Amino acid sequence: MNRDDSSLLVRLGQILTLCLMLSGCQATMQQALLSQYDDKLLLDEYFTEPATGIESAEQIFAIPDEVVKELRQRVMMYGDAQDRSMALLTFIFNDGRDVLEYVNNATLTASDTLLKRQANCLSLTILAYSLANAIGFETQFQDVDVPEYWITRSGNSMLNGHVNLVINPVSKLRGVSNILYRQSSYLIDFDQVPARTKLKTTEVSRDAIVSMFYNNKAADAILSRDFDLAYQYLKAAIRMAPALSGNWNNLAVLYRHKQLFAEAEQVYLHSLMLEPNHSNTMSNLAMLYHVTGRYEQAAALERKVARKRQANPFYFVMLGNEAFEQQDADSALRHYRQSLKLQPNTPEALFGMARAFLLKGDVPAASRYLQSARKYVEPGAERRRYQSKLDMLNAMAKQV
């Protein structure tokens, strides 16, 4: 969140986060809804096309020929579908050596994921798809209907989503030529949280995944204030999947940054036409109404959003984070406790508790909650970050 937006929030006493949507790692797919107004909502005249182009769909999924050759050698030696699946998974995760690490903002092409050994759920899904298709496996992308979930990057709130991939290995029926058979499907997913395995999923297309990739790249560009690049990515995302409401939300956020308030409003309304009850888009539109002095319209949207969010633990994490930013430790603790009441062991709420207790000067309590947060966060960079903070807290405790 930009600081000028934050000061506005303090005066209003409400959480009106100008929130970007991250696809696959928030994008909820609706039935294909095309609008005759799509092109009219694009404002090429306010943006300059960057000298370097954006990735093509082919570049996003491409993997080097030598990798395909090695993959075939290691997988196609098996005739059994399950054995081939295990060989594919071993290849992706490199036998546990040089582990593929989860990094939330690592929206990378398949080739870059292989090179850097880093990925978010979207990048892992892209890589797995490319490798599985290279050896003839059937695949299906899935969008996971997770509750509204925010992360913070560079002081900005980001609405996080999730995607994964189902693979259907195929092998020849023993003793019978030219007949293929299928065994159990396999789910490739970074997120091993048991509660999320029960969430509703929606099948999505390859074009939608490309659109999500562009959307994430646009969000990164907005954070770095490269608005021209962000616009090109969003324009490409919209053309690839015009029914994806998150693309339009982020375009409106971009227009908001460019002070194109009337145009931003029209885009928010278009996003809501595609997904009428999306809390984040309504919240962003409410902020715009406040900025433009339409307080009654803003309040009506805020009430509607607040009712929807009362059962969402991550909403209370966001409220706690806002209270913490205002140095109100007691209010922050109250919100974090409500989050933990709704969903115990949420790492973000536990980390918030640790920060709030540290703000109150209670280092032992902060250390306990940080230890709990570390326990429940996914392995990798995030866990190491929590451990680093825990080490610092423990060092502080020894000096008291």
Side-chain angles (χ1 to χ4, degrees), residues 201-220:
T201 59
T202 304
E203 293 184 357
V204 295
S205 67
R206 185 177 183 271
D207 283 353
I209 293 294
V210 173
S211 181
M212 293 176 186
F213 180 93
Y214 291 149
N215 179 71
N216 282 12
K217 288 291 191 178
D220 291 337

Side-chain angles (χ1 to χ4, degrees), residues 60-75:
I60 292 171
F61 292 100
I63 48 179
D65 291 340
E66 59 270 21
V67 173
V68 175
K69 182 179 179 181
E70 181 185 356
L71 175 66
R72 288 183 175 277
Q73 290 173 346
R74 292 175 57 176
V75 174

Side-chain angles (χ1 to χ4, degrees), residues 256-316:
R256 163 76 171 80
H257 278 290
K258 292 279 285 185
Q259 306 291 301
L260 300 169
F261 296 143
E263 293 83 355
E265 178 183 3
Q266 292 305 308
V267 177
Y268 280 135
L269 292 173
H270 182 75
S271 181
L272 288 172
M273 182 195 74
L274 296 173
E275 195 167 354
N277 293 310
H278 198 280
S279 298
N280 180 66
T281 305
M282 288 190 288
S283 182
N284 282 346
L285 181 56
M287 170 177 277
L288 185 65
Y289 285 154
H290 274 289
V291 170
T292 54
R294 287 172 284 177
Y295 304 115
E296 291 185 5
Q297 289 174 271
L301 282 175
E302 290 161 15
R303 288 192 295 270
K304 185 175 181 179
V305 170
R307 286 193 297 269
K308 288 191 62 181
R309 287 175 169 170
Q310 290 305 306
N312 183 357
F314 297 106
Y315 172 59
F316 291 98

Side-chain angles (χ1 to χ4, degrees), residues 27-31 143 202-205 208 212 241 243-245 275:
T28 301
M29 294 299 300
Q30 303 296 309
Q31 288 183 327
D143 178 48
T202 304
E203 293 184 357
V204 295
S205 67
M212 293 176 186
L244 197 58
S245 64
E275 195 167 354

Side-chain angles (χ1 to χ4, degrees), residues 329-341:
D330 291 332
S331 292
L333 287 171
R334 184 173 66 254
H335 293 309
Y336 294 136
R337 288 191 177 106
Q338 180 62 25
S339 175
L340 292 169
K341 182 179 179 181

